[in-house]
Amino acid sequence: MRVKNKFKESFILHCNAGGRLFPLVVGCLLFLHLFSFAHQRNAQSGETHLSTNQRTQFSILEKVEEENIQLPQPRKRSTRAAKRKPKRPTTFIDEFLDESSQLRNVFFPDQRTAVDSRKENGNDTYYYHPGRIWLDTEGNPIQAHGGGILYDLRTKMHYWYGEYKDGPTYHAHKKGAARVDVIGVSCYSSKDLWTWKNEGIVLAAEEKNETHDLYKLNVLERPKVIHNEKTGKYVMWMHIDDANYTKASVGVAISELPTGPFNYLYSKRPHGYDSRDMTLFKDDDGVAYLIYSSEHNKDLHIGPLNEEYIDATESMRKILIGQHREAPALFKHQGTYYMITSGCTSWSPNEALVHASESIMGPWETIGNPCIGGNKIFRLTTFFAQGTFVVPLSGVPGLFIFMADRWNPADLKDSRYVWLPLTVGRPLDHRPEYSFGLPLWSRVSIYWHKKWRLPYR
């Protein structure tokens, strides 16, 4: 009886409190609903403005393009071999990684289909062909892997920085990942994001000094460059590691010019944590941020840089904790921050996810797979590629370029570029887990196309 009376008393108290809280809860939900409505109206107004000016071309980019690729027939095996070790069914990822696959030319088209800006391409001019060899203005395949784009207001040029991998692929030891010795960071310049001039190696490897971070047998990955208006310097950050990936640090270099040469400063573990895949993001207020995979790729860490952009401040937040995401690529649209990440499967492609936040320091919410078109396996492998950067396009609201690498672990210098249109503004496919049933975020969509071009061409 005593227990029942206590329960009854507690129940009455909770009901009374609930009665007082009910109007507050309803008010909060109404506010969230109005915020969501305004958020979507803003996105829709951007779409309306765009469709008025570039209706036909933009609608083509959002057209869903399917792929019909069939797995080849399995190779015949002897009866004895089949009994000794039954073979599991071959997957598309197996075919992708197999140098002798009958589908090899689907994933890595040969030189005959190369995109060449030097030629009279007629109606093909300015078209991107994801996965094809892409030539620079000298007729050589572009070598700028794991890279990013800087638009420089001084020169009115785009600069594409990336890993220069034009060397032999090998394994440092039996269980080691495929690698190419460090050659350096390349730079290409362009006015139109399609025709690229090779500006050379702007940060070169160290050939002889084995203690140097840039020694050729070490690792240099995912270089990103931003410009500091206060100092006038161009600042490069990159992932620095040893051949066994135990150093797990960031490296910093600076230059007076976007085309280098860059002067290497130092490496460190930011905030005292290991750092692997990383990127930079410069916000509208000029504050720059470092984002990196840490704690053995279990979490992502994010924090602001100092005013000179050459060191991380003490401020840091752990985000996407325990989700094992890497290859972060950040961008901003109508006040909301978005980030695309990949899973951690070495050179094998996997599913991209989009995360969103009203504050760059979080909390971040996962809102789904952005990939549209191709087929199911294309969408689950990010079109057989891994994201590296998102390029904002001035004058085209809601449209970006998603930059990704289609890695070729058998021959890393022959890895390809997958550039695709990315749009923001449609409703989400599924409501986020903690949104009270209200779709606060706009959908980020990456559309598959065998060929496409920007709508203002």
Side-chain angles (χ1 to χ4, degrees):
M1 292 294 292
R2 191 174 183 182
V3 174
K4 289 183 179 178
N5 288 338
K6 280 192 172 182
F7 174 77
K8 183 177 179 182
E9 182 180 343
S10 175
F11 178 76
I12 292 171
L13 288 171
H14 276 83
C15 286
N16 289 337
R20 291 193 297 271
L21 288 173
F22 182 74
L24 180 61
V25 172
V26 172
C28 289
L29 290 174
L30 181 61
F31 172 77
L32 287 171
H33 180 73
L34 291 173
F35 176 81
S36 173
F37 178 75
H39 191 275
Q40 289 184 314
R41 284 294 299 271
N42 286 339
Q44 289 170 0
S45 65
E47 286 181 354
T48 302
H49 173 73
L50 181 62
S51 63
T52 301
N53 294 300
Q54 298 128 338
R55 184 182 303 115
T56 303
Q57 293 164 317
F58 194 80
S59 64
I60 291 173
L61 296 184
E62 293 193 310
K63 183 179 179 181
V64 177
E65 188 174 316
E66 300 291 343
E67 289 282 354
N68 184 21
I69 300 176
Q70 303 295 325
L71 282 171
Q73 291 294 321
R75 298 167 186 170
K76 291 183 179 181
R77 305 173 71 211
S78 68
T79 305
R80 180 179 296 178
K83 288 181 177 179
R84 184 172 62 249
K85 187 176 182 181
K87 188 176 182 182
R88 65 175 177 81
T90 301
T91 68
F92 276 104
I93 292 181
D94 292 331
E95 295 293 333
F96 173 79
L97 296 172
D98 184 0
E99 290 181 83
S100 61
S101 169
Q102 298 175 42
L103 297 179
R104 191 68 176 173
N105 199 54
V106 173
F107 302 122
F108 299 97
D110 61 29
Q111 184 78 25
R112 291 172 295 180
T113 64
V115 179
D116 190 348
S117 62
R118 302 170 304 160
K119 295 181 179 179
E120 291 293 333
N121 291 286
N123 293 333
D124 235 19
T125 301
Y126 297 122
Y127 273 92
Y128 298 101
H129 293 263
R132 290 191 184 182
I133 295 172
W134 196 351
L135 305 181
D136 62 22
T137 54
E138 297 174 354
N140 299 312
I142 294 172
Q143 290 287 335
H145 309 283
I149 303 286
L150 166 72
Y151 179 71
D152 185 45
L153 292 173
R154 292 178 175 180
T155 60
K156 302 294 189 290
M157 297 284 285
H158 300 276
Y159 295 93
W160 180 4
Y161 304 90
E163 305 161 31
Y164 194 88
K165 288 187 174 296
D166 194 12
T169 297
Y170 70 98
H171 296 262
H173 50 82
K174 188 176 182 180
K175 294 185 179 181
R179 59 164 286 137
V180 169
D181 284 349
V182 178
I183 299 173
V185 177
S186 58
C187 175
Y188 294 81
S189 62
S190 175
K191 290 183 178 180
D192 57 22
L193 290 168
W194 189 74
T195 306
W196 293 96
K197 176 187 176 184
N198 186 1
E199 299 288 352
I201 303 294
V202 295
L203 180 67
E206 173 59 47
E207 290 287 328
K208 298 180 179 180
N209 184 357
E210 298 182 10
T211 65
H212 200 285
D213 285 343
L214 302 182
Y215 180 56
K216 63 182 180 180
L217 297 185
N218 286 334
V219 171
L220 187 163
E221 296 176 337
R222 297 188 173 270
K224 303 294 185 290
V225 175
I226 51 178
H227 180 242
N228 190 308
E229 281 79 11
K230 292 182 179 179
T231 65
K233 298 288 196 300
Y234 296 86
V235 186
M236 178 188 297
W237 286 63
M238 69 215 84
H239 170 205
I240 293 292
D241 227 317
D242 54 37
N244 295 316
Y245 285 86
T246 60
K247 186 177 179 68
S249 300
V250 291
V252 184
I254 59 172
S255 175
E256 299 287 341
L257 300 171
T259 52
F262 280 78
N263 177 37
Y264 187 76
L265 300 181
Y266 67 95
S267 68
K268 69 179 294 185
R269 285 192 164 194
H271 312 110
Y273 288 90
D274 58 296
S275 171
R276 291 178 172 84
D277 278 10
M278 50 69 59
T279 193
L280 298 177
F281 177 80
K282 184 178 175 182
D283 212 341
D284 303 330
D285 59 4
V287 178
Y289 296 83
L290 170 68
I291 306 94
Y292 58 97
S293 296
S294 190
E295 301 187 64
H296 300 283
N297 289 338
K298 182 171 62 73
D299 309 331
L300 284 177
H301 294 180
I302 184 168
L305 303 181
N306 64 9
E307 289 190 1
E308 295 78 22
Y309 300 168
I310 58 174
D311 199 358
T313 66
E314 294 181 0
S315 178
M316 182 272 284
R317 287 280 180 88
K318 297 182 180 183
I319 61 174
L320 307 185
I321 295 172
Q323 296 188 33
H324 296 274
R325 308 301 296 176
E326 65 178 12
L330 269 74
F331 63 101
K332 188 178 183 181
H333 178 64
Q334 294 184 344
T336 298
Y337 300 90
Y338 296 95
M339 175 167 55
I340 300 174
T341 64
S342 83
C344 303
T345 55
S346 188
W347 297 115
S348 298
N350 58 64
E351 182 181 19
L353 291 177
V354 179
H355 320 273
S357 178
E358 292 300 315
S359 167
I360 193 169
M361 296 294 280
W364 286 81
E365 187 167 17
T366 301
I367 59 176
N369 183 334
C371 300
I372 295 178
N375 56 34
K376 182 179 180 180
I377 190 63
F378 268 56
R379 295 187 290 275
L380 291 178
T381 59
T382 319
F383 312 114
F384 291 93
Q386 183 184 42
T388 183
F389 198 76
V390 175
V391 185
L393 299 170
S394 59
V396 191
L399 178 64
F400 302 79
I401 296 177
F402 173 66
M403 291 174 57
D405 295 280
R406 180 172 289 173
W407 298 112
N408 181 357
D411 187 9
L412 286 169
K413 69 174 180 293
D414 191 38
S415 298
R416 307 297 175 83
Y417 310 104
V418 174
W419 286 25
L420 291 167
L422 181 154
T423 65
V424 184
R426 295 182 179 276
L428 289 178
D429 297 336
H430 305 285
R431 290 171 177 170
E433 186 177 355
Y434 304 110
S435 66
F436 300 98
L438 301 175
L440 299 180
W441 313 114
S442 296
R443 192 191 199 287
V444 174
S445 304
I446 302 171
Y447 291 90
W448 169 255
H449 293 282
K450 287 184 178 179
K451 58 179 286 189
W452 67 283
R453 67 177 183 176
L454 296 170
Y456 48 76
R457 296 296 184 204

